[in-house]
Every structure is written in C-alpha cells, then in structure tokens.
C-alpha cells in the first residue's frame, strides 16, 4: 500500500516538476491544474451520502439515482471501465468546471497546440479559474490569434485519479436532459478506454462515436417514446448545427487557400461568417420551428477558432461509426480495432480512417 501511494505521489510530482525546465509560468499552470482537480475531489461525496442526506433536494436525488443507473449501464452494456468515476457528486457553485482556450492564426484553421507532461499535446489550454483563462485568451489576441474561450461542463482524467475517487458527477451537467446526461457520462468514460497522445481529433471523435452508440442503447432499453422523440429532435438539430459549421469551415479553408492578399482573405472571411449567421436563421425557421438553443453560439463574435474547435471533436466521427458497423456493433471488438489503429503512426492511422468513409465525406475536410 505504501509503495502504491509513493508511486502515485511521484506521478503527481512529476506532472508538477517536469515543466519547471521551461519556466515558472509552466509551473504555475500545472499548479492550478492539480490544485483545481484536488479541490474538486474534496467537494465530492459518494452518491449514497447525497441520497441519505435529508437536506438534498428531491430533484437532485432523482438525478443522482438516474446517473447511477447510467453508470452501471455503461460498464454492463457498453464495456466501459467499471471504477469509481461518476459514483460521487460535487456542487462546485459555478457554471463550468473548467474554461478551455482555443486559438488559431487569423487566416488559418490550424489549432494552436500546447504540450503537457504525461498527457502529450492538445489543441486547447484548460483553466479552473475563468479569470486565468481570460488572461491567456487576451494575451493570445494581442499576438494576433483568433480565440474561442469556451466553458466546459466536464473533463476526463483518463482514469489516472480513480485512486482518489475518480471523476465525479457535477452540478455543471447533472440537470441536463436525460439523453444528454447519458451522452456525457459515456463520452468521458470512453476516454478511459483509449487515449492517444498528440491526437485530439482521434480521441474526441472516438469518444463521440461511443457516446452516440451508448445513448442509442440506453434509449432502447428505457422503452420511453417521449425520451426517444426528444433525443431524435436533439440529434436532428445537432446534426444540422454541425453541418452548418462544416460547410462554412470548408468555405473558410478555400478562402484561405485562394490567391490574394491578406486583406482579400479577411474580406472573404467576414463574408463566410455573415453567410453562416444567415444560414443559421434559415435553418432555425425552416427546420427547427424557431428553436433558439443555438442562438448564444451564433450571437457571439465568431471567428476561426470557433469552427476549428468544433472540427476537432467531430471530423473523424463518421470513420469511427463506420468501423463500429464493420465490427457488427460489437463494442469490445470495436475497442480492440480502435486500439490497433492507435498503435499505428499518425499518418498511417489517418490513412486507415480515411478508407472507412466515402470519398464525399473525405472531401468535406477543410484546408488548414
């Protein structure tokens, strides 16, 4: 037991000390990351404690019980890890657990990446304190980057902190509609099945494919027509939203790749975003019956970083879903096939994934 504790302490110490080689700012960043997560863990209590506490609101008890059923379903039916993650709950008294900073050059769709000890590189920088995230965002803007500062309801520690109690359920998402709550739990647990260093698109698209299959199975076993209808409507709107972003990301890529001065490309860029807002309003009227759930996204000052970030989470989903079909919707076989892909060099891995989708889908990738 002592040996295991020393090993765990050494791992956390390594995370903190390796960045010291690159300066104090890196140490500060890792310090807030470890400190923020430990504070989150201290706030978490087992679900049973909340259910037995007479002061816990009845609505919260109902959601925690539902989340516990989802957690058991994830391991029993989806082959996701059976551990302490999502068996506790914490109320953080804030609307997001972290704030992620995404950045791209002004005339590019290439996400800026940051590299982390043990975890590799990713196309975002996360902060537990919103003020810290805003300072980083402002600094990047002064350097000429387009920036997207996005609140995040949950994140995965990839199973590394299960000895501390695992990743807890949080107030930031516990009251989401049922299917969306299930989607998030399945997605974050999928990251504990597989994580490839330096490949955000691979990791996020894999987890998204798992979440979608998981929610379909969850709804089927619930046998609730209203739940099925609500999720079908959600999926339709989400698919429309993502398609709008894909189409206009492709237009942006073409604009950046075309001949012309930087001023010419800036003008084309402005036009693409004007067209995107117009297309959203048309979709909202013609397909969504006036549904305003995406208004907040489209009403903010949009820039390239908003579209690049969405792409990182969705570009490879069709390939993973095609692989799942090839494996007969057998999730253990699917996980094994994805693991085999993960062990390949990135160029070969990407090439294999491209063979799983149609030429039309492959052509819909934007220029970087």
């Amino acid at each position: 037991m002592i040996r295991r504790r020393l090993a765990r302490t050494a791992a956390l110490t390594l995370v903190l000390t390796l960045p010291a080689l690159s300066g104090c700012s890196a140490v500060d960043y890792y310090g807030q990351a470890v400190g923020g997560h430990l504070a989150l863990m201290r706030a978490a209590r087992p679900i049973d404690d909340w259910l037995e506490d007479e002061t816990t609101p009845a609505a919260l008890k109902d959601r925690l019980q539902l989340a516990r059923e989802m957690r058991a379903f994830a391991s029993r039916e989806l082959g996701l890890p059976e551990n302490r993650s999502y068996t506790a709950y914490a109320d953080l008294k804030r609307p997001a657990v972290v704030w992620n900073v995404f950045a791209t050059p002004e005339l590019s769709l290439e996400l800026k990446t940051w590299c982390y000890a043990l975890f590799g590189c990713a196309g975002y920088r996360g902060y537990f304190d919103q003020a810290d995230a805003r300072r980083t965002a402002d600094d990047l803007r002064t350097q000429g980057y387009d920036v997207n500062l996005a609140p995040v309801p949950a994140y995965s520690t990839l199973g590394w902190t299960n000895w501390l109690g695992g990743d807890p359920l949080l107030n930031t998402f516990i009251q989401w509609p049922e299917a969306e709550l299930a989607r998030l739990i399945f997605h974050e647990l999928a990251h504990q099945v597989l994580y490839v260093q330096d490949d955000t698109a691979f990791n996020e698209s894999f987890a998204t494919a798992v979440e979608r299959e998981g929610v379909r199975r969850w709804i089927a076993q619930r046998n609730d027509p209203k739940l099925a209808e609500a999720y079908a409507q959600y999926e339709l709107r989400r698919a429309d939203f993502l398609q709008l972003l894909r189409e206009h990301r492709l237009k942006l890529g073409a604009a950046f790749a075309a001949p012309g001065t930087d001023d010419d490309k800036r003008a084309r860029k402005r036009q693409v975003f004007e067209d995107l807002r117009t297309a959203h309003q048309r979709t909202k009227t013609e397909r969504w019956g006036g549904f305003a759930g995406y208004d907040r996204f489209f009403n903010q000052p949009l820039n390239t970083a908003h579209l690049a970030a969405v792409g990182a989470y969705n570009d490879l989903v069709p390939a993973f879903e095609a692989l799942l079909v090839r494996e007969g919707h057998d999730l253990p076989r699917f996980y094994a096939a994805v693991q085999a892909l993960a062990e390949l060099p990135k160029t070969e891995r990407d090439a294999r994934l491209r063979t799983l989708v149609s030429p039309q889908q492959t052509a819909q990738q934007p220029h970087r």
Side-chain angles (χ1 to χ4, degrees), residues 161-361:
T161 62
N162 281 317
W163 60 280
L164 281 172
D167 301 329
L169 300 161
L170 299 171
N171 67 293
T172 54
F173 60 82
I174 194 64
Q175 296 295 344
W176 284 8
E178 180 176 333
E180 294 180 49
L181 177 60
R183 176 180 64 79
L184 185 143
I185 292 172
F186 302 158
H187 182 105
E188 300 304 336
L189 286 171
H191 284 310
Q192 298 188 24
V193 172
L194 181 74
Y195 180 85
V196 180
Q197 285 197 357
D198 307 334
D199 201 337
T200 300
F202 186 91
N203 295 325
E204 296 300 340
S205 295
F206 163 69
T208 298
V210 172
E211 88 180 33
R212 288 166 62 87
E213 178 68 12
V215 172
R216 283 191 287 267
R217 297 187 186 197
W218 171 262
I219 290 174
Q221 66 91 36
R222 292 284 280 178
N223 194 27
D224 181 342
K226 289 185 178 179
L227 175 62
E229 181 181 358
Y231 187 67
Q233 190 174 60
Y234 163 82
E235 280 280 87
L236 171 66
R237 291 168 178 163
R238 183 169 182 263
D240 286 345
F241 170 69
L242 293 175
Q243 184 60 26
L244 285 175
L245 300 192
R246 288 191 194 100
E247 289 175 358
H248 290 81
R249 202 156 50 99
L250 189 63
K251 292 179 181 179
L252 269 183
F256 296 153
T261 66
D262 284 354
D263 283 343
D264 292 336
K265 294 178 182 182
R266 291 186 185 101
R268 294 174 192 146
K269 176 181 172 181
R270 287 192 293 273
Q271 186 61 55
V272 168
F273 281 111
E274 289 177 14
D275 292 346
L276 174 58
R277 288 192 173 88
T278 299
H280 164 243
Q281 288 299 323
R282 184 168 58 250
T283 301
K284 178 179 172 181
T285 300
E286 296 176 359
R287 290 178 58 82
W288 298 350
F291 174 73
Y294 289 103
D295 282 8
R296 184 176 178 182
F297 178 88
F298 288 101
N299 290 341
Q300 66 183 318
L302 290 173
N303 61 50
T304 307
H306 292 90
L307 302 196
V310 171
Y313 282 72
N314 295 281
D315 277 351
L316 299 177
V317 173
F320 282 108
E321 292 190 326
L323 180 59
L324 181 59
V325 171
R326 192 191 77 182
E327 299 301 328
H329 289 273
D330 184 310
L331 284 169
R333 282 173 46 190
F334 171 67
Y335 299 151
V338 174
Q339 180 63 53
L341 284 173
E343 293 170 1
L344 298 173
K346 179 170 170 42
T347 53
E348 186 176 352
R349 184 165 66 236
D350 290 347
R352 294 278 187 92
L353 286 167
R354 284 195 294 271
T355 67
L356 295 167
V357 296
S358 68
Q360 291 82 3
Q361 288 172 302

